[in-house]
Amino acid sequence: PILASLQVLLLAVTDTAVLHELLVAYSAFTQTCAVLQLVGPRDRALAPLCKTALPGGDGPQEALGAHHLAISSCLLALTFELAAVLADSWPMLLDALQRLDAALVERNLLPGSQPTPPPAAQPGSGAQGGEAELRLLRFSLDSLFTQTAALDDDAAATLLAALCTVGITSVTGARPDIVG
């Protein structure tokens, strides 16, 4: 019941400040599931974030609004925090992050274009994708793989397998099955 309520609120909330507070609760729930090794609930919590991080869920056709930026930022933060225990969730997350990368490239924020973190953005400061928030997402996305150096061998092997899976599905046009 808690997860279902959080998911309904995630889709219904329109106030950016409320969304940020909701995402804090959502992240705490997801992290708790991960710590307790509750894989099913963890994945059911991550799936809606993966689906709603970008407009339309299938690509960056519409403008990235403050809602999408907040969810993408939350998803990236969870990816960093849970990297060692994501296991079979990696393909779902990598697919969402690949779509985020494409959306950022469309906005001329190319990989490597943010070698240092930009000044802190105020959450929700841009109605249609505040430039500082977009640059911070680009920096975080670029930093993801350098941060995985701390993974143990099993977690690194799982990530490598997931990268192969996402690469193959990207070439074939198939999408990972997102739970939810």
Side-chain angles (χ1 to χ4, degrees):
I2 292 173
L3 181 58
S5 298
L6 288 173
Q7 290 172 347
V8 168
L9 288 172
L10 180 67
L11 296 173
V13 71
T14 57
D15 183 273
T16 305
V18 174
L19 175 64
H20 283 280
E21 293 303 318
L22 175 63
L23 288 172
V24 168
Y26 205 95
S27 293
F29 179 86
T30 307
Q31 290 167 337
T32 301
C33 290
V35 167
L36 296 175
Q37 299 178 356
L38 300 172
V39 176
R42 179 203 64 204
D43 288 353
R44 285 190 295 279
L46 287 170
L49 293 177
C50 290
K51 287 181 179 181
T52 58
L54 292 172
D58 288 323
Q61 299 91 349
E62 304 169 28
L64 279 175
H67 194 87
H68 302 109
L69 295 178
I71 293 171
S72 293
S73 181
C74 177
L75 187 62
L76 266 168
L78 283 168
T79 303
F80 278 106
E81 293 166 14
L82 303 178
V85 295
L86 286 172
D88 293 338
S89 299
W90 271 116
M92 171 178 60
L93 285 161
L94 290 171
D95 180 65
L97 296 176
Q98 182 179 27
R99 291 185 293 115
L100 175 61
D101 178 62
L104 294 173
V105 167
E106 276 188 5
R107 286 149 186 85
N108 292 321
L109 289 166
L110 304 174
S113 64
Q114 298 298 312
T116 59
Q122 291 297 326
S125 59
Q128 290 298 317
E131 190 62 31
E133 290 176 336
L134 289 168
R135 289 195 320 265
L136 184 57
L137 282 173
R138 172 83 273 161
F139 175 79
S140 298
L141 191 57
D142 289 351
S143 301
L144 178 63
F145 294 105
T146 59
Q147 299 298 318
T148 58
L151 294 177
D152 65 33
D153 290 346
D154 289 339
T158 302
L159 172 58
L160 184 57
L163 285 168
C164 292
T165 299
V166 170
I168 290 169
T169 58
S170 179
V171 170
T172 62
R175 302 304 287 284
D177 181 27
I178 297 179
V179 180

